[in-house]
Amino acid sequence: MKTPYKNIYRVLNQNRFIVWSLVIGTTVTCIVAILSVIKLHKETVNNAFVVNTDGSVIPLKMIAQKENLGVEVLSHLELFHTHFYNIDASNYEKNLEKALWLGNSSVDALYRQKKSDGVYNRLLQYSLVQKVLEIDSEIVLSHEPYTFLTKTRFEINRGAITDTYELVTTGNLIHVDRNFPKNTHGLLITNYYEKSLKKLQNEN
């Protein structure tokens, strides 16, 4: 006896095949889409884009910025140490104000401590001239915050007497928003510490 349900198993197998095909196809599509998004994200992170004068888009590798990081860090440290230690009675307020823009509260705390100890009053009272001679920094850029150790050689002119010193400072650096012209490198000194100070023998 013929019945319309005699091929029901065949129909069910076909339906199951279709369902599994759709599931597998959808899964593969989702995986491909996710991988494409991840790849696009990595490419976007590693590239910056600018518009050329003719309207074309030019990719700029972020790796170039990383290569320039060392130069910017050294420049930032040199700028800070110059402003903070290259001072005299006529420029110390202006220089210290510039230096405070390059560091966080640890720099401000040191400045306030020096002020409380009468360092800047003596600068005015005796017309001292503190001149930076050389700044040498060692930096580690493997991860942020970056660490540094800086040796600053400076002299203090007391009129007839000039003494030379070497100051060793340490700290960290983090990225902040660039602030032109107060913080052009977009870096901020943290955990700043004057590790040691020694008087050098003056060369004859």
Side-chain angles (χ1 to χ4, degrees):
M1 182 177 179
K2 294 183 177 181
T3 171
Y5 304 107
K6 75 174 190 174
N7 294 325
I8 189 169
Y9 291 109
R10 182 184 299 173
V11 173
L12 290 175
N13 285 333
Q14 289 177 346
N15 288 343
R16 184 168 58 182
F17 174 77
I18 293 172
V19 170
W20 277 109
S21 297
L22 290 173
V23 170
I24 293 173
T26 303
T27 303
V28 171
T29 302
C30 290
I31 293 174
V32 172
I34 292 172
L35 292 176
S36 298
V37 170
I38 293 174
K39 181 181 178 182
L40 179 62
H41 174 71
K42 289 182 178 179
E43 290 178 351
T44 303
V45 168
N46 290 327
N47 289 274
F49 299 91
V50 297
V51 179
N52 200 2
T53 53
D54 60 0
S56 60
V57 177
I58 304 174
L60 299 176
K61 291 292 184 181
M62 294 295 288
I63 189 68
Q65 295 184 12
K66 293 181 180 179
E67 290 174 353
N68 293 333
L69 176 60
V71 176
E72 292 215 60
V73 167
L74 291 175
S75 180
H76 187 87
L77 291 172
E78 182 173 357
L79 191 64
F80 168 76
H81 285 83
T82 300
H83 286 326
F84 202 73
Y85 298 105
N86 197 89
I87 53 177
D88 57 40
S90 65
N91 69 8
Y92 82 97
E93 289 183 329
K94 178 179 64 178
N95 280 9
L96 290 173
E97 181 182 357
K98 291 178 180 179
L100 291 174
W101 275 96
L102 307 178
N104 74 343
S105 57
S106 62
V107 174
D108 183 66
L110 178 61
Y111 159 71
R112 292 180 183 277
Q113 181 63 46
K114 287 177 178 290
K115 187 176 182 180
S116 175
D117 292 342
V119 172
Y120 306 119
N121 284 337
R122 288 193 294 274
L123 193 75
L124 294 172
Q125 183 178 357
Y126 299 107
S127 298
L128 303 179
V129 177
Q130 185 169 295
K131 181 181 179 182
V132 172
L133 303 175
E134 184 180 359
I135 299 171
D136 182 27
S137 296
E138 299 176 7
I139 56 177
V140 178
L141 304 179
S142 56
H143 61 276
E144 190 173 347
Y146 315 117
T147 61
F148 70 87
L149 184 148
T150 299
K151 294 180 180 179
T152 304
R153 189 162 61 93
F154 62 92
E155 64 181 18
I156 297 179
N157 188 309
R158 297 181 173 87
I161 301 175
T162 300
D163 295 320
T164 305
Y165 298 86
E166 182 182 81
L167 173 68
V168 178
T169 56
T170 61
N172 302 109
L173 283 161
I174 60 174
H175 276 106
V176 294
D177 291 336
R178 294 178 189 268
N179 186 323
F180 296 94
K182 295 177 179 178
N183 189 335
T184 57
H185 297 292
L187 295 166
L188 193 71
I189 294 173
T190 65
N191 300 320
Y192 188 67
Y193 179 64
E194 291 186 343
K195 186 177 181 180
S196 65
L197 175 67
K198 67 178 180 179
K199 184 176 180 180
L200 303 178
Q201 293 294 331
N202 291 328
E203 298 179 358
N204 295 324

